[in-house]
Amino acid sequence: ISVDGAPSPFTLTERYQMIRVGIQGYEVPANERKDANLVFVIDVSGSMDLDNRLGLVKRSLELLVEQLRETDTVAIVVYGTDARLVLDPTRGSEKGKILRAINRLQPEGVTNAEAGIRLGYKTAMRAYLQDGINRVILCSDGVANMGQTEWDAILGEVRGYLEEGVTLSSFGFGMDNYNDTLMEQLADNGDGVYAYI
């Protein structure tokens, strides 16, 4: 159990405090975890061109690579104005190849989240694990400004993948110009988890 608190950001006085209580759920031991097919869909638009956005995404992914098993697969899709695959589904044993793809990520264009998510799901189906974890993981500031920009319209096009068991989790990066609602609703309706980094 963890507890932390701070003055409420929703009031102008310091009279109100907010307290968060965290309770750790069951942690699956590493040797019991199913093999994972992970497709990272990364926002590389101009709004991500900050160290606490794209830079933090890259550092976070580097930490994840160390935890991959040989039987896991990772793919990376990026989107700015268009979406493209920068790393085909790659075995977890090829850590160097995965890290090189992460290090090459650079900001470009505007934000077409719809195209990125659509390509992410298609890529996840290419490496689909029948008895494994199949997950699309969105890393973004949530500021979509090209194509479909509302979570319900974006997910409307990919509902069939949810029925196949491919979940969508979203991780938010950055401060100030950040769309918390889009990121949370995508994860909630994609049967995944949402977190703000």
Side-chain angles (χ1 to χ4, degrees), residues 109-136:
V110 295
T111 314
N112 193 344
E114 173 194 11
I117 292 170
R118 189 182 306 122
L119 181 56
Y121 273 106
K122 287 178 181 174
T123 304
M125 291 305 293
R126 282 182 40 215
Y128 187 82
L129 296 173
Q130 187 64 43
D131 296 315
I133 298 165
N134 294 281
R135 184 163 297 144
V136 173

Side-chain angles (χ1 to χ4, degrees), residues 47-119:
S47 66
M48 292 290 288
D49 190 11
L50 294 168
D51 191 52
N52 70 353
R53 293 189 184 201
L54 186 56
L56 188 55
V57 170
K58 291 164 76 168
R59 289 192 301 277
S60 300
L61 291 179
E62 288 168 357
L63 292 173
L64 170 90
V65 169
E66 298 307 316
Q67 298 177 33
L68 292 172
R69 296 193 308 220
E70 291 184 5
T71 50
D72 296 329
T73 60
V74 171
I76 298 175
V77 168
V78 297
Y79 66 91
T81 304
D82 297 306
R84 60 188 168 81
L85 187 65
V86 297
L87 179 69
D88 278 309
T90 302
R91 287 280 181 199
S93 57
E94 297 184 70
K95 291 181 180 12
K97 182 177 180 181
I98 299 167
L99 288 170
R100 284 190 297 278
I102 292 167
N103 290 328
R104 285 193 304 264
L105 299 178
Q106 296 293 324
E108 58 185 65
V110 295
T111 314
N112 193 344
E114 173 194 11
I117 292 170
R118 189 182 306 122
L119 181 56

Side-chain angles (χ1 to χ4, degrees), residues 116-173:
I117 292 170
R118 189 182 306 122
L119 181 56
Y121 273 106
K122 287 178 181 174
T123 304
M125 291 305 293
R126 282 182 40 215
Y128 187 82
L129 296 173
Q130 187 64 43
D131 296 315
I133 298 165
N134 294 281
R135 184 163 297 144
V136 173
I137 301 169
L138 176 64
C139 300
S140 174
D141 58 12
V143 182
N145 56 20
M146 184 176 177
Q148 298 287 349
T149 59
E150 300 296 325
W151 67 266
D152 53 345
I154 293 171
L155 277 180
E157 297 188 23
V158 295
R159 290 209 194 282
Y161 296 115
L162 293 173
E163 293 169 10
E164 295 284 339
V166 180
T167 61
L168 172 66
S169 292
S170 61
F171 293 88
F173 292 82

Side-chain angles (χ1 to χ4, degrees), residues 26-35 67 69 71-72 133:
Y26 174 72
E27 240 179 85
V28 177
N31 62 339
E32 293 179 22
R33 176 179 64 79
K34 294 179 180 181
D35 291 339
Q67 298 177 33
R69 296 193 308 220
T71 50
D72 296 329
I133 298 165

